[in-house]
Amino acid sequence: MIIGMIVAIADEIHAMLDECGEPEWDKDDCGIKIRKYSLDAAELYVAHSGAGQVYAAAATQLLISKYGAELIVNFGICGGLTPDMALCRTCVVKSVVHYDFDTSAVDGCEAGRHLEYPSVYIPADERLVGLALKTDGSMSAVICASGDTFIDKPEQKHALAQMYGAKICEMEAAGILLTANRCGVPALLVKAVSDSMGGGAQEFKRMASESARACIQVVLRLINGVSNK
C-alpha cells in the first residue's frame, strides 16, 4: 500500500522525525518537502504542506497524482472546543465543516456547505474511522471545524461548537478531505488537542510539541493496523 501523509507545521514534523528517524530520502517537490519511509506493509510519503487549506489541498493532490497514494493520512494538533477535548486528547475526525466557506450570496446555499455535499458536513471514510476506534479505544470520533483562521478566543470556540456540534478546530482538514474525496481516495485524520476550550495562542505555543508527539504515536499504530488489513 502507498500512504501519503500530510503534516502542516514544524512541531508536527519534529515529532514525526523523533518517532520515525531520518527518511530514506527527502526532496523538494513543487515547493513541498517530501520524505519517504518504508514500513512493514506500506510505502509512506510524508508531505510537509505548511499551514492552511490551500497548502494542505495542494499537498494532498501531489501525493495522490504523483506518488500514487492509495490512502491519505493527516496527523496534527488542533484546538479543543468542548470541555472533554482536554490537552493532548487524541481523536479521529468523522466529518469536517469548512466553516469560513460561504457562497450563500450567489446560490442561496447555507454558509459552510459545498454544493456537491447534501449538508455542511464533509464525511471522512466510515470504515477507517471505525477501524481507528477499534485500534485505539481511548479515542472518540468528532466533528472538526476547519478554516483559515487560528481560533484564539473562548467565545469563538464556543460559537463553533454550538453552531456545528464540532469538538475541535484547525486549519487543514477541509482542504485535505475535499481533495481526497474528489479523487476517490480514503482519508484518515487524527488530531491531538494543543489548546483547550479556554486556551488560545499562548497555550498552543506551550503545548504544540507535546500534543504533536502524542498524536504521531497514535497515528503510527493506526497506519500499521490499516496497512495490514
PDB file of all heavy atoms in Angstrom, residues 21 26 41 65 71 89 103-104 119 158-159 161 167 186 191 197 204-206 219:
ATOM      1  N   GLY A  21      12.646   8.625  12.776  1.00  0.00           N
ATOM      2  CA  GLY A  21      14.036   8.784  12.369  1.00  0.00           C
ATOM      3  C   GLY A  21      14.168   9.454  11.020  1.00  0.00           C
ATOM      4  O   GLY A  21      13.194   9.966  10.455  1.00  0.00           O
ATOM      5  N   ASP A  26      14.720  12.591   1.063  1.00  0.00           N
ATOM      6  CA  ASP A  26      13.817  13.731   1.100  1.00  0.00           C
ATOM      7  C   ASP A  26      14.161  14.670  -0.039  1.00  0.00           C
ATOM      8  O   ASP A  26      15.309  14.720  -0.491  1.00  0.00           O
ATOM      9  CB  ASP A  26      13.858  14.458   2.448  1.00  0.00           C
ATOM     10  CG  ASP A  26      15.210  15.047   2.759  1.00  0.00           C
ATOM     11  OD1 ASP A  26      15.579  16.062   2.144  1.00  0.00           O
ATOM     12  OD2 ASP A  26      15.915  14.481   3.625  1.00  0.00           O
ATOM     13  N   ALA A  41       4.324  -2.971   5.746  1.00  0.00           N
ATOM     14  CA  ALA A  41       3.375  -3.317   4.680  1.00  0.00           C
ATOM     15  C   ALA A  41       3.007  -2.127   3.809  1.00  0.00           C
ATOM     16  O   ALA A  41       1.991  -2.157   3.121  1.00  0.00           O
ATOM     17  CB  ALA A  41       2.118  -3.919   5.290  1.00  0.00           C
ATOM     18  N   SER A  65      -1.626  12.319  -7.061  1.00  0.00           N
ATOM     19  CA  SER A  65      -1.377  12.338  -8.504  1.00  0.00           C
ATOM     20  C   SER A  65       0.029  11.890  -8.878  1.00  0.00           C
ATOM     21  O   SER A  65       0.215  11.177  -9.864  1.00  0.00           O
ATOM     22  CB  SER A  65      -1.620  13.748  -9.056  1.00  0.00           C
ATOM     23  OG  SER A  65      -2.956  14.144  -8.879  1.00  0.00           O
ATOM     24  N   LEU A  71      -4.048   5.914   0.190  1.00  0.00           N
ATOM     25  CA  LEU A  71      -4.634   6.336   1.459  1.00  0.00           C
ATOM     26  C   LEU A  71      -3.949   7.633   1.869  1.00  0.00           C
ATOM     27  O   LEU A  71      -2.729   7.741   1.796  1.00  0.00           O
ATOM     28  CB  LEU A  71      -4.418   5.260   2.533  1.00  0.00           C
ATOM     29  CG  LEU A  71      -4.670   5.662   3.996  1.00  0.00           C
ATOM     30  CD1 LEU A  71      -6.144   5.962   4.214  1.00  0.00           C
ATOM     31  CD2 LEU A  71      -4.198   4.569   4.952  1.00  0.00           C
ATOM     32  N   ARG A  89      -5.481  15.309  24.263  1.00  0.00           N
ATOM     33  CA  ARG A  89      -6.515  14.313  23.941  1.00  0.00           C
ATOM     34  C   ARG A  89      -6.474  14.043  22.438  1.00  0.00           C
ATOM     35  O   ARG A  89      -6.483  14.965  21.634  1.00  0.00           O
ATOM     36  CB  ARG A  89      -7.882  14.846  24.359  1.00  0.00           C
ATOM     37  CG  ARG A  89      -9.079  13.992  23.947  1.00  0.00           C
ATOM     38  CD  ARG A  89      -9.228  12.772  24.820  1.00  0.00           C
ATOM     39  NE  ARG A  89     -10.312  11.925  24.356  1.00  0.00           N
ATOM     40  CZ  ARG A  89     -11.587  12.053  24.728  1.00  0.00           C
ATOM     41  NH1 ARG A  89     -11.934  13.015  25.582  1.00  0.00           N
ATOM     42  NH2 ARG A  89     -12.492  11.224  24.267  1.00  0.00           N
ATOM     43  N   THR A 103     -20.816  30.654  -0.041  1.00  0.00           N
ATOM     44  CA  THR A 103     -21.281  31.111  -1.360  1.00  0.00           C
ATOM     45  C   THR A 103     -22.763  31.475  -1.316  1.00  0.00           C
ATOM     46  O   THR A 103     -23.424  31.549  -2.352  1.00  0.00           O
ATOM     47  CB  THR A 103     -21.047  30.025  -2.427  1.00  0.00           C
ATOM     48  OG1 THR A 103     -21.767  28.835  -2.065  1.00  0.00           O
ATOM     49  CG2 THR A 103     -19.563  29.696  -2.559  1.00  0.00           C
ATOM     50  N   SER A 104     -23.289  31.697  -0.140  1.00  0.00           N
ATOM     51  CA  SER A 104     -24.731  31.894   0.031  1.00  0.00           C
ATOM     52  C   SER A 104     -25.267  33.103  -0.729  1.00  0.00           C
ATOM     53  O   SER A 104     -26.428  33.110  -1.156  1.00  0.00           O
ATOM     54  CB  SER A 104     -25.076  32.025   1.519  1.00  0.00           C
ATOM     55  OG  SER A 104     -24.374  33.114   2.100  1.00  0.00           O
ATOM     56  N   SER A 119     -25.060  18.466   2.913  1.00  0.00           N
ATOM     57  CA  SER A 119     -25.089  19.319   4.107  1.00  0.00           C
ATOM     58  C   SER A 119     -23.719  19.960   4.286  1.00  0.00           C
ATOM     59  O   SER A 119     -22.824  19.776   3.453  1.00  0.00           O
ATOM     60  CB  SER A 119     -25.449  18.492   5.349  1.00  0.00           C
ATOM     61  OG  SER A 119     -24.345  17.709   5.782  1.00  0.00           O
ATOM     62  N   HIS A 158     -16.617  28.499  21.485  1.00  0.00           N
ATOM     63  CA  HIS A 158     -17.979  28.157  21.915  1.00  0.00           C
ATOM     64  C   HIS A 158     -18.963  28.288  20.754  1.00  0.00           C
ATOM     65  O   HIS A 158     -19.848  27.437  20.572  1.00  0.00           O
ATOM     66  CB  HIS A 158     -18.405  29.060  23.076  1.00  0.00           C
ATOM     67  CG  HIS A 158     -19.795  28.806  23.570  1.00  0.00           C
ATOM     68  ND1 HIS A 158     -20.128  27.684  24.300  1.00  0.00           N
ATOM     69  CD2 HIS A 158     -20.941  29.529  23.415  1.00  0.00           C
ATOM     70  CE1 HIS A 158     -21.412  27.720  24.585  1.00  0.00           C
ATOM     71  NE2 HIS A 158     -21.935  28.824  24.062  1.00  0.00           N
ATOM     72  N   ALA A 159     -18.804  29.334  19.949  1.00  0.00           N
ATOM     73  CA  ALA A 159     -19.717  29.559  18.821  1.00  0.00           C
ATOM     74  C   ALA A 159     -19.633  28.423  17.802  1.00  0.00           C
ATOM     75  O   ALA A 159     -20.662  27.957  17.295  1.00  0.00           O
ATOM     76  CB  ALA A 159     -19.406  30.898  18.156  1.00  0.00           C
ATOM     77  N   ALA A 161     -18.688  25.337  18.364  1.00  0.00           N
ATOM     78  CA  ALA A 161     -19.264  24.133  18.975  1.00  0.00           C
ATOM     79  C   ALA A 161     -20.786  24.180  18.939  1.00  0.00           C
ATOM     80  O   ALA A 161     -21.449  23.186  18.612  1.00  0.00           O
ATOM     81  CB  ALA A 161     -18.770  23.990  20.415  1.00  0.00           C
ATOM     82  N   LYS A 167     -16.191  19.512  17.906  1.00  0.00           N
ATOM     83  CA  LYS A 167     -15.444  19.377  19.153  1.00  0.00           C
ATOM     84  C   LYS A 167     -14.021  19.886  19.033  1.00  0.00           C
ATOM     85  O   LYS A 167     -13.366  20.119  20.051  1.00  0.00           O
ATOM     86  CB  LYS A 167     -15.440  17.915  19.613  1.00  0.00           C
ATOM     87  CG  LYS A 167     -16.816  17.429  20.038  1.00  0.00           C
ATOM     88  CD  LYS A 167     -16.716  16.275  21.012  1.00  0.00           C
ATOM     89  CE  LYS A 167     -18.070  16.033  21.659  1.00  0.00           C
ATOM     90  NZ  LYS A 167     -17.961  15.258  22.896  1.00  0.00           N
ATOM     91  N   PRO A 186      -9.488   7.279   0.128  1.00  0.00           N
ATOM     92  CA  PRO A 186      -9.903   7.403   1.521  1.00  0.00           C
ATOM     93  C   PRO A 186      -8.899   8.203   2.342  1.00  0.00           C
ATOM     94  O   PRO A 186      -7.695   8.174   2.074  1.00  0.00           O
ATOM     95  CB  PRO A 186      -9.974   5.951   2.005  1.00  0.00           C
ATOM     96  CG  PRO A 186      -9.083   5.198   1.076  1.00  0.00           C
ATOM     97  CD  PRO A 186      -9.181   5.894  -0.245  1.00  0.00           C
ATOM     98  N   LYS A 191      -6.204  13.864  15.245  1.00  0.00           N
ATOM     99  CA  LYS A 191      -5.773  15.129  15.836  1.00  0.00           C
ATOM    100  C   LYS A 191      -5.553  14.989  17.339  1.00  0.00           C
ATOM    101  O   LYS A 191      -6.166  14.148  17.994  1.00  0.00           O
ATOM    102  CB  LYS A 191      -6.842  16.210  15.590  1.00  0.00           C
ATOM    103  CG  LYS A 191      -7.183  16.447  14.122  1.00  0.00           C
ATOM    104  CD  LYS A 191      -6.049  17.116  13.373  1.00  0.00           C
ATOM    105  CE  LYS A 191      -6.401  17.380  11.926  1.00  0.00           C
ATOM    106  NZ  LYS A 191      -5.316  18.088  11.208  1.00  0.00           N
ATOM    107  N   MET A 197     -10.449  24.403  25.421  1.00  0.00           N
ATOM    108  CA  MET A 197     -11.582  25.296  25.204  1.00  0.00           C
ATOM    109  C   MET A 197     -11.318  26.700  25.742  1.00  0.00           C
ATOM    110  O   MET A 197     -11.681  27.693  25.126  1.00  0.00           O
ATOM    111  CB  MET A 197     -12.823  24.699  25.878  1.00  0.00           C
ATOM    112  CG  MET A 197     -14.090  25.495  25.670  1.00  0.00           C
ATOM    113  SD  MET A 197     -15.474  24.696  26.498  1.00  0.00           S
ATOM    114  CE  MET A 197     -16.785  25.866  26.128  1.00  0.00           C
ATOM    115  N   PHE A 204      -1.299  27.128  22.938  1.00  0.00           N
ATOM    116  CA  PHE A 204      -0.870  26.408  21.739  1.00  0.00           C
ATOM    117  C   PHE A 204       0.653  26.394  21.645  1.00  0.00           C
ATOM    118  O   PHE A 204       1.263  25.343  21.400  1.00  0.00           O
ATOM    119  CB  PHE A 204      -1.473  27.071  20.499  1.00  0.00           C
ATOM    120  CG  PHE A 204      -0.895  26.601  19.197  1.00  0.00           C
ATOM    121  CD1 PHE A 204      -1.397  25.474  18.573  1.00  0.00           C
ATOM    122  CD2 PHE A 204       0.144  27.285  18.601  1.00  0.00           C
ATOM    123  CE1 PHE A 204      -0.861  25.029  17.365  1.00  0.00           C
ATOM    124  CE2 PHE A 204       0.688  26.859  17.401  1.00  0.00           C
ATOM    125  CZ  PHE A 204       0.183  25.728  16.788  1.00  0.00           C
ATOM    126  N   LYS A 205       1.288  27.542  21.824  1.00  0.00           N
ATOM    127  CA  LYS A 205       2.748  27.618  21.726  1.00  0.00           C
ATOM    128  C   LYS A 205       3.418  26.753  22.782  1.00  0.00           C
ATOM    129  O   LYS A 205       4.461  26.136  22.534  1.00  0.00           O
ATOM    130  CB  LYS A 205       3.200  29.070  21.865  1.00  0.00           C
ATOM    131  CG  LYS A 205       2.787  29.968  20.701  1.00  0.00           C
ATOM    132  CD  LYS A 205       3.165  31.424  20.960  1.00  0.00           C
ATOM    133  CE  LYS A 205       2.680  32.329  19.851  1.00  0.00           C
ATOM    134  NZ  LYS A 205       2.978  33.759  20.110  1.00  0.00           N
ATOM    135  N   ARG A 206       2.816  26.694  23.954  1.00  0.00           N
ATOM    136  CA  ARG A 206       3.399  25.938  25.054  1.00  0.00           C
ATOM    137  C   ARG A 206       3.220  24.430  24.881  1.00  0.00           C
ATOM    138  O   ARG A 206       4.091  23.646  25.257  1.00  0.00           O
ATOM    139  CB  ARG A 206       2.750  26.392  26.365  1.00  0.00           C
ATOM    140  CG  ARG A 206       3.395  25.822  27.619  1.00  0.00           C
ATOM    141  CD  ARG A 206       2.857  26.471  28.876  1.00  0.00           C
ATOM    142  NE  ARG A 206       1.457  26.190  29.109  1.00  0.00           N
ATOM    143  CZ  ARG A 206       0.471  27.071  28.969  1.00  0.00           C
ATOM    144  NH1 ARG A 206       0.730  28.314  28.587  1.00  0.00           N
ATOM    145  NH2 ARG A 206      -0.786  26.732  29.212  1.00  0.00           N
ATOM    146  N   VAL A 219      -1.011   7.739  15.542  1.00  0.00           N
ATOM    147  CA  VAL A 219      -1.126   7.604  14.092  1.00  0.00           C
ATOM    148  C   VAL A 219      -0.297   6.439  13.567  1.00  0.00           C
ATOM    149  O   VAL A 219      -0.745   5.678  12.690  1.00  0.00           O
ATOM    150  CB  VAL A 219      -0.716   8.919  13.392  1.00  0.00           C
ATOM    151  CG1 VAL A 219      -0.502   8.705  11.902  1.00  0.00           C
ATOM    152  CG2 VAL A 219      -1.783   9.970  13.605  1.00  0.00           C
TER     153      VAL A 219
END
